Amino acid sequence: MTASSPSLAPARRPLIVRLATPRGFCAGVDRAIQIVERALEKFGAPVYVRHEIVHNRHVVERLKAMGAVFVKDLDDCPDDRPVVFSAHGVPKSVPAAARAREMVFLDATCPLVSKVHVEAERHHLAGRHILLIGHAGHPEVVGTLGQLPDGAITLVETVEDAETVQRPGDAPMAYATQTTLSVDDTAEILAVLKRRFPELPDPHKEDICYATTNRQEAVKRLGQGCDLVLVIGSANSSNSVRLVEVALRAGARDARLVDDASRVDWSWLDGIDVLGITAGASAPESLIEDLIDAVRARFDAEVVEDAGERETVTFKLPRLLTA
């Protein structure tokens, strides 16, 4: 090669990239984000949001830039500005306090979470004590516990809890679950509860939502054939964290949760031939696109979309925003 010849770029290593289907936003998350966006359009900024509308840093930062103000408690909101309740649901005391203050409020609770609340109330009115399978402190669990009087619900987090939880007096029992749990872990807990309390009635429809189930099934397929699975999602997103666990259990050599492409340590891909990519239900598709671009910049990537469930579910917006 002469001094004037152009230098040749080193050949990029081939890499197969499998994209999970479905992935990313679910109908409940999409509805919640739209509620904040439409409220800003209708009422102007600021619009207050009690807790993160969904558990994703990028979504929250984008809405902040549009004029949303995220607060921990209703007491942090002025009386004269609209407030939105997050997709995870809130205790009954929160809308009651908003009504007492004559506030304009919009409830972005996912309809599938609201279904769990309705089921819990139905069991309570029938005189049953409710076992709630879920994670202590998660906003959805806090909201469900807050639908009923103290002591009406007992939280069950693990198989060990299921083996030791006690019936209060002679009350008949029922159960409900957080909507974003691992399907397999929940089945193990429920098997123990049903052995100990055979009268437990099943919900009219499974509490773990269709989107959580579909994304876990999709990541199981990735785990069976991928060396590494990257899950885009925030660390406080229960459904995203579960996807990492499901991928590892399904057979992936490694699985990692990352906020976005900038958080990938590219040494993780040393020796990797097949990379799986998915995203939790609160992660926007743009983050996946950015990650694919970053992969293509470093590898000769062949991107293949896995076959999976195609979701067509949509949820209506509150009447206040559509009237």
Side-chain angles (χ1 to χ4, degrees):
M1 180 168 30
T2 65
S4 60
S5 299
S7 59
L8 297 175
R12 290 176 298 169
R13 182 168 70 81
L15 179 70
I16 295 173
V17 179
R18 288 174 54 191
L19 291 181
T21 302
R23 59 183 179 272
F25 277 0
C26 63
V29 164
D30 190 52
R31 173 180 179 270
I33 294 168
Q34 283 191 60
I35 287 173
V36 179
E37 293 171 343
R38 295 282 191 94
L40 285 163
E41 290 174 9
K42 180 165 185 169
F43 300 106
V47 166
Y48 285 75
V49 184
R50 184 184 180 277
H51 292 174
E52 292 187 350
I53 187 68
V54 297
H55 282 159
N56 185 271
R57 179 175 61 86
H58 292 272
V59 170
V60 169
E61 292 300 323
R62 183 177 70 81
L63 293 174
K64 278 184 181 178
M66 295 172 65
V69 178
F70 292 86
V71 297
K72 291 185 177 180
D73 196 84
L74 197 65
D75 292 341
D76 301 321
C77 303
D79 292 346
D80 61 349
R81 295 306 304 166
V83 59
V84 179
F85 303 146
S86 83
H88 309 101
V90 295
K92 275 189 174 179
S93 59
V94 175
R99 289 188 193 96
R101 292 170 59 183
E102 299 184 347
M103 300 174 75
V104 173
F105 67 89
L106 295 148
D107 189 354
T109 300
C110 174
L112 299 180
V113 174
S114 296
K115 180 190 80 71
V116 175
H117 294 176
V118 170
E119 288 278 321
E121 189 148 22
R122 181 176 65 83
H123 288 310
H124 180 65
L125 290 173
R128 302 184 184 105
H129 183 80
I130 299 152
L131 302 173
L132 175 61
I133 304 172
H135 299 302
H138 188 279
E140 184 184 327
V141 167
V142 172
T144 301
L145 291 171
Q147 299 304 303
L148 298 176
D150 288 348
I153 302 176
T154 298
L155 184 61
V156 177
E157 295 190 79
T158 64
V159 168
E160 290 74 24
D161 289 347
E163 289 285 9
T164 58
V165 66
Q166 296 299 310
R167 184 193 303 273
D170 58 357
M173 306 284 262
Y175 79 92
T177 76
Q178 184 180 328
T179 63
T180 55
L181 298 177
S182 160
V183 173
D184 294 335
D185 288 348
T186 303
E188 291 178 16
I189 293 171
L190 190 53
V192 174
L193 292 176
K194 287 197 166 186
R195 169 170 54 79
R196 296 191 60 219
F197 309 108
E199 80 273 18
L200 285 176
D202 283 323
H204 294 310
K205 196 172 181 182
E206 287 299 322
D207 287 344
I208 295 177
C209 83
Y210 77 94
T212 297
T213 302
N214 288 348
R215 279 152 189 73
Q216 288 182 20
E217 287 300 317
V219 91
K220 281 180 184 178
R221 291 190 290 272
L222 290 187
Q224 291 164 3
C226 293
D227 304 310
L228 168 67
V229 175
L230 294 178
V231 178
I232 295 180
S234 295
N236 62 341
S237 166
S238 173
N239 76 86
S240 300
V241 173
R242 301 290 83 74
L243 291 178
V244 174
E245 298 168 354
V246 171
L248 290 169
R249 187 176 293 177
R253 279 170 31 199
D254 194 7
R256 308 272 182 157
L257 180 68
V258 293
D259 262 333
D260 52 47
S262 71
R263 302 303 179 96
V264 175
D265 180 340
W266 295 101
S267 69
W268 297 340
L269 277 75
D270 291 348
I272 298 298
D273 296 316
V274 183
L275 171 67
I277 294 178
T278 190
S282 46
E285 181 69 13
S286 61
L287 298 182
I288 289 216
E289 293 168 357
D290 291 345
L291 178 55
I292 292 170
D293 288 344
V295 170
R296 281 181 163 145
R298 293 164 174 83
F299 298 90
D300 179 15
E302 178 188 352
V303 180
V304 180
E305 182 133 7
D306 268 23
E309 188 78 21
R310 296 288 174 176
E311 295 173 349
T312 58
V313 177
T314 57
F315 295 129
K316 292 181 180 178
L317 296 176
R319 190 172 301 166
L320 180 61
L321 295 178
T322 58

